[in-house]
């Protein structure tokens, strides 16, 4: 039942339409609001209503009819008051929790409106009408040989505090999480309308929910107040088995309420996106056969961690497999380009034929998927590897515009800016990468390229610290040991430098001094510190050779 003043008829009409669209049966009357007798029909409807929405305004607070209806609703415990404009409510209603909706223009995604709608539904003991199974979103069509990124649905977050303002926060957080995850690249996110019908207060059958929605993953969450903090708990569930794959708590002080939701959303989304990537890599690596091109690309990405000659060759093979599976798949061509580029950057002498092949895959990828942020990111990195940092930066910046939460694009931009000696920009992009992709499989490389920027800036202590962070996260790549050794050798720490060089040479015994010189030249091209590092490297190599001969 909607109680309102005659002067607010159009506002009442807006509320009636929106409530009906939300699946509620609405009784309202726009004819008996000018002082007519309190009609028996109106009184019967008022007494029968499960929820009475009173629209408080400057005119309704002065209406004896609206006051009478509000009094009866309050007595029957069916009152849901709403402020539609600033006014002084009748004193007996001043202590009633009243939603502020003076700004509401009918937008069904408005957070305050959603909180109000939840209040009405709970009071009326009416939940959103469940969509029949037949009418649920059908499972996506099988993607065929190309494959696609996994799908995720966010379930409504539970409000464990029980406070109305936290219900608004919970609803708004899911909406904002969907928006943030939609800007990422590792998961396809369903709209909130797909799961709104599950806001029932009871725990649904997640396997059945996953089947109805046709998704691989579900995200559940809840929020509660813990002393002076607000805690959000999120868990990622495999839809087919309802197994919990990941869970984490995020907590912030309530005193920071202004930025609380935005901070929590960004943190949850960043961790979740990275976690899905880890799960998809593990899933693809376990699959024995019948791979899609997407799965082959995912397997190729998983080789980025080791960065030895064998692992990079494996990455090239997986990327080429993706192209064979789906020749017109731009992402597959971009993956071949970046893996060939990495192989060339670290292990190959200058070879125009290899560069030509990389260029061919770059051009093919861009022709097929010009506006795909992931394609642009990999293409940009391939351009970095063949010595085209300005072109790489252009691709990375475009990827960031398309998908601001794409951490790898910031990583690519950081390397490009480093090559261009735009060192503060490089560090800023690495900070953005850390924020948007915490815990990614390239976190160690983030620290390596911090060291790279610090070396170019001649900040040797910061470079050593960054190398230590990188090697602590991933002790496999030999170039980290070698470059740290050249810095220490240049600054007189010869014994430690020789020990590190020994680790690098044992990891890659086939790599010669000349080859290491090529690597340094590619990594520190256009840096005034390139020649001092090369000289330190030559001195250390000579010392190890002399030591080997003496023994």
């Amino acid at each position: 039942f909607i109680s309102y003043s005659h002067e607010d008829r159009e506002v009442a009409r807006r509320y009636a339409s929106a409530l009906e669209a939300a699946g509620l049966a609405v009784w309202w009357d726009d004819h008996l609001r000018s002082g007519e007798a309190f009609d028996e029909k109106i009184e019967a409807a008022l007494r029968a209503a499960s929820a009475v929405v009173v629209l408080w305004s400057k005119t309704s607070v002065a209406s004896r009819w609206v006051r009478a209806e509000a009094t009866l609703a309050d007595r029957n415990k069916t009152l849901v008051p709403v402020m539609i404009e600033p006014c002084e409510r009748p004193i007996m209603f001043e202590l009633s929790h009243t939603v502020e909706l003076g700004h509401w223009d009918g937008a069904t995604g408005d957070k305050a409106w959603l909180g109000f709608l939840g209040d009405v539904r709970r009071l009326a003991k009416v939940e959103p009408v469940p969509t029949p199974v037949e009418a649920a979103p059908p499972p996506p069509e099988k993607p065929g040989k190309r494959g696609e990124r996994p799908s995720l649905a966010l379930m409504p977050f539970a409000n464990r505090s029980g406070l109305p303002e936290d219900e608004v926060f919970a609803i708004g957080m899911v909406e904002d999480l969907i928006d943030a995850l939609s800007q990422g690249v590792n998961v396809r996110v369903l709209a909130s309308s797909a799961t709104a019908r599950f806001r029932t207060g009871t725990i649904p059958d997640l396997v059945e929910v996953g089947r109805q929605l046709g998704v691989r993953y579900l995200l559940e969450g809840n929020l509660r107040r813990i002393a002076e903090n607000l805690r959000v708990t999120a868990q990622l569930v495999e839809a087919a088995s309802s197994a919990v794959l990941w869970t984490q708590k995020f907590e912030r002080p309530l005193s920071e309420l202004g930025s609380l939701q935005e901070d929590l959303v960004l943190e949850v989304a960043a961790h979740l996106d990275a976690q899905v990537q880890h799960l998809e890599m593990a899933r693809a690596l376990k699959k024995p056969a019948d791979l899609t091109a997407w799965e082959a690309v995912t397997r190729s990405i998983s080789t980025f961690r080791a960065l030895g000659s064998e692992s990079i060759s494996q990455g090239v093979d997986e990327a080429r497999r993706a192209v064979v599976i789906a020749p017109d798949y731009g992402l597959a061509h971009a993956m071949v380009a970046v893996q060939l580029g990495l192989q060339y950057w670290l292990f190959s002498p200058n070879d125009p034929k290899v560069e030509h092949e990389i260029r061919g895959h770059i051009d093919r990828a861009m022709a097929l998927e010009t506006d795909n942020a992931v394609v642009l990111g990999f293409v940009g990195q391939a351009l970095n590897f063949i010595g085209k940092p300005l072109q790489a930066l252009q691709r990375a910046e475009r990827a960031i515009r398309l998908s601001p939460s794409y951490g790898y694009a910031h990583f690519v931009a950081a390397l490009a800016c480093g090559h261009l000696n735009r060192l503060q920009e490089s560090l800023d992009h690495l900070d953005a990468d850390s924020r948007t992709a915490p815990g990614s499989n390239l976190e160690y490389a983030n620290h390596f390229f911090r060291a790279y920027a610090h070396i170019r800036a001649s900040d040797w202590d910061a470079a050593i610290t960054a190398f230590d962070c990188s090697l602590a996260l991933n002790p496999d790549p030999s170039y980290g040991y070698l470059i740290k050794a050249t810095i220490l050798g240049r600054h007189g720490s010869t014994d430690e430098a020789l020990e590190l060089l020994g680790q690098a040479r044992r990891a890659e015994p086939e790599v010669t001094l000349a080859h290491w010189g090529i690597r340094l030249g590619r990594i520190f091209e256009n840096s005034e510190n390139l020649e001092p590092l090369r000289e330190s490297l030559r001195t250390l190599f000579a010392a190890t050779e002399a030591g080997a001969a003496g023994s």
Side-chain angles (χ1 to χ4, degrees):
F1 185 101
I2 298 178
S3 174
Y4 66 99
S5 165
H6 174 75
E7 285 79 1
D8 301 322
R9 181 173 54 196
E10 292 308 311
V11 177
R13 189 185 307 279
R14 184 191 309 154
Y15 275 77
S17 299
L19 289 167
E20 287 172 346
L24 292 156
V26 179
W27 197 99
W28 73 300
D29 180 85
D30 60 350
H31 301 296
L32 302 176
R33 282 290 180 271
S34 297
E36 296 93 329
F38 203 113
D39 187 270
E40 292 181 1
K41 185 176 181 182
I42 295 177
E43 185 175 355
L46 178 65
R47 292 183 180 280
S50 301
V52 176
V53 174
V54 175
L55 304 182
W56 288 124
S57 68
K58 292 175 182 177
T59 55
S60 69
V61 296
S63 167
R64 60 192 181 98
W65 304 111
V66 174
R67 285 169 176 257
E69 290 166 352
T71 300
L72 182 57
D74 185 54
R75 186 184 307 153
N76 292 339
K77 301 188 184 305
T78 58
L79 177 65
V80 189
V82 182
M83 295 281 285
I84 62 172
E85 67 177 3
C87 61
E88 291 189 13
R89 288 167 286 165
I91 192 168
M92 68 174 293
F93 299 110
E94 280 293 334
L95 297 180
S96 300
H97 170 68
T98 304
V99 178
E100 171 57 60
L101 282 172
H103 68 283
W104 187 61
D105 60 1
T108 56
D110 182 272
K111 294 174 187 176
W113 162 260
L114 290 171
F116 158 74
L117 182 59
D119 291 342
V120 174
R121 283 172 169 158
R122 280 191 301 277
L123 188 59
K125 296 183 175 57
V126 175
E127 296 297 335
V129 179
T131 304
V133 171
E134 294 77 14
E141 295 182 6
K142 292 185 178 180
K145 293 183 178 180
R146 176 175 292 196
E148 62 180 16
R149 55 188 176 158
S151 52
L152 167 78
L154 273 75
M155 301 297 291
F157 275 30
N159 172 16
R160 301 295 189 208
S161 302
L163 299 173
E165 56 267 38
D166 287 352
E167 182 68 22
V168 176
F169 191 99
I171 293 170
M173 185 157 188
V174 170
E175 293 288 342
D176 288 352
L177 265 174
I178 289 172
D179 180 63
L181 286 167
S182 297
Q183 296 180 36
V185 297
N186 293 315
V187 65
R188 181 173 59 85
V189 188
L190 269 63
S192 60
S193 58
T195 56
R197 66 183 186 277
F198 300 113
R199 190 178 287 115
T200 62
T202 59
I203 300 175
D205 181 338
L206 296 183
V207 174
E208 177 60 19
V209 171
R211 188 193 70 77
Q212 289 186 27
L213 299 178
V215 295
R216 185 175 299 166
Y217 301 113
L218 295 165
L219 184 74
E220 289 188 302
N222 65 72
L223 59 88
R224 69 178 67 199
R225 298 188 181 220
I226 307 293
E228 299 301 317
N229 293 342
L230 186 71
R231 176 182 294 173
V232 173
T233 303
Q235 64 179 26
L236 185 66
V237 177
E238 183 180 53
S241 64
S242 74
V244 176
L245 303 173
W246 167 83
T247 185
Q248 193 155 337
K249 292 182 177 68
F250 305 85
E251 196 163 316
R252 291 287 187 282
L254 285 165
S255 58
E256 300 174 7
L257 195 60
S259 59
L260 182 60
Q261 183 163 324
E262 181 179 358
D263 287 349
L264 283 171
V265 163
L266 291 175
E267 189 171 353
V268 174
H271 280 272
L272 180 62
D273 197 59
Q275 187 62 32
V276 169
Q277 185 184 47
H278 287 308
L279 291 167
E280 285 300 295
M281 285 192 290
R283 180 178 174 275
L285 289 170
K286 289 177 183 177
K287 192 172 182 180
D290 193 27
L291 294 176
T292 66
W294 164 263
E295 289 166 334
V297 166
T298 302
R299 287 165 66 118
S300 184
I301 293 172
S302 72
T303 67
F304 282 160
R305 182 166 177 81
L307 288 190
S309 58
E310 184 177 338
S311 66
I312 294 176
S313 294
Q314 181 184 349
V316 172
D317 291 343
E318 293 288 1
R320 290 193 190 280
R321 185 197 302 209
V323 171
V324 170
I325 295 170
D328 293 332
Y329 189 23
L331 182 57
H333 287 280
M335 197 71 232
V336 174
V338 77
Q339 290 284 20
L340 284 175
L342 182 59
Q343 189 177 59
Y344 172 79
W345 199 51
L346 292 179
F347 296 102
S348 304
N350 293 327
D351 187 342
K353 291 183 180 179
V354 176
E355 286 194 36
H356 180 75
E357 182 180 3
I358 294 169
R359 274 288 191 183
H361 284 289
I362 287 173
D363 293 343
R364 183 68 175 144
M366 294 304 298
L368 290 167
E369 297 189 63
T370 307
D371 294 324
N372 184 314
V374 185
V375 169
L376 287 163
F378 287 138
V379 162
Q381 194 69 310
L383 288 165
N384 270 330
F385 291 148
I386 60 174
K388 306 295 181 185
L390 187 57
Q391 294 179 34
L393 183 58
Q394 291 169 346
R395 303 302 190 282
E397 288 176 338
R398 186 173 175 191
I400 293 167
R401 287 194 296 272
L402 288 169
S403 184
S405 299
Y406 183 23
Y408 185 73
H410 286 286
F411 180 79
V412 173
L415 179 54
C417 287
H419 280 318
L420 296 167
N421 286 317
R422 293 158 57 171
L423 303 181
Q424 187 55 55
E425 289 180 61
S426 179
L427 293 171
D428 289 344
H429 278 295
L430 289 170
D431 288 341
D433 173 45
S434 296
R435 288 194 304 272
T436 55
S440 80
N441 66 324
L442 289 177
E443 186 177 0
Y444 78 95
N446 181 294
H447 291 285
F448 173 82
F449 286 118
R450 285 181 190 278
Y452 159 88
H454 290 312
I455 290 171
R456 284 181 172 264
S458 300
D459 189 346
W460 306 106
D461 290 340
I464 292 295
T465 300
F467 272 130
D468 289 342
C469 291
S470 178
L471 293 170
L473 288 167
N474 184 7
D476 292 336
S478 57
Y479 54 76
Y481 293 106
L482 183 127
I483 299 176
K484 181 180 176 182
T486 63
I487 298 172
L488 292 174
R490 185 174 182 273
H491 290 82
S493 302
T494 306
D495 290 342
E496 186 179 354
L498 289 172
E499 183 181 343
L500 290 169
L501 179 61
Q503 288 181 262
R505 295 191 70 178
R506 285 191 295 274
E508 295 184 272
E510 74 283 0
V511 178
T512 65
L513 173 60
H515 195 162
W516 277 113
I518 291 173
R519 283 190 187 180
L520 284 176
R522 288 176 177 161
I523 295 173
F524 295 105
E525 185 178 4
N526 300 323
S527 170
E528 62 183 17
N529 289 318
L530 172 58
E531 284 310 314
L533 291 174
R534 276 180 169 163
E535 180 58 33
S536 178
L537 178 63
R538 285 191 288 267
T539 301
L540 292 171
F541 254 82
T544 58
E545 295 293 336
S551 63

